[in-house]
Amino acid sequence: MSLQSPTNDGSFHRSIYCVILMGNFLGLPITGYSSGDVADLKFSWKSKRSLYSSYLLTMSVIFAICYAYWMIEHGSPNLTKVVKLTTLVRNILCLYFFRKLAKNWPVLM
């Protein structure tokens, strides 16, 4: 699979091919994005991509909880510690909203 959109026909679906491809690595569980037809786009809770997205979300939540516990146990929170925790929470929210977007993406296209 190449990074370039195969036969770009000018549609929105083909124009954002690379964005969706990168989104798959970051937790956007959509299949069929490399096809030329929008009808091939699918979301399934049982797909490998959904499992990967669930794994990323679960591990991010666990890491954020562990970091918050560590931050509380080791002194007063300073700006650096709060910024790291804020980044972790932002990542969790992004993964959550990626999953919500993925459920609706085939209909949206």
Side-chain angles (χ1 to χ4, degrees), residues 65-86:
I65 290 170
C66 290
Y67 186 78
Y69 177 76
W70 177 85
M71 187 175 75
I72 291 169
E73 286 294 316
H74 289 85
S76 63
N78 59 22
L79 186 59
T80 305
K81 291 179 183 177
V82 172
V83 167
K84 288 179 184 177
L85 185 61
T86 304

Side-chain angles (χ1 to χ4, degrees), residues 49-70:
R49 289 185 173 111
S50 288
L51 293 175
Y52 174 68
S53 178
S54 298
Y55 171 77
L56 288 177
L57 182 60
T58 303
M59 295 310 293
S60 295
V61 168
I62 290 171
F63 190 70
I65 290 170
C66 290
Y67 186 78
Y69 177 76
W70 177 85

Side-chain angles (χ1 to χ4, degrees), residues 83-96:
V83 167
K84 288 179 184 177
L85 185 61
T86 304
T87 302
L88 290 170
V89 171
R90 184 196 63 209
N91 291 343
I92 291 167
L93 290 174
C94 286
L95 286 166
Y96 172 75

Side-chain angles (χ1 to χ4, degrees), residues 20 23-24 27-33 38-54 57 95-109:
I20 295 175
N24 270 264
L28 183 68
I30 295 175
T31 59
Y33 57 87
V38 177
D40 292 336
L41 289 172
K42 294 189 181 15
F43 171 80
S44 171
W45 284 109
K46 296 178 182 179
S47 72
K48 290 179 184 177
R49 289 185 173 111
S50 288
L51 293 175
Y52 174 68
S53 178
S54 298
L57 182 60
L95 286 166
Y96 172 75
F97 286 118
F98 264 174
R99 290 172 59 101
K100 283 187 70 115
L101 177 65
K103 287 192 296 188
N104 298 323
W105 191 260
V107 177
L108 185 64
M109 285 290 108

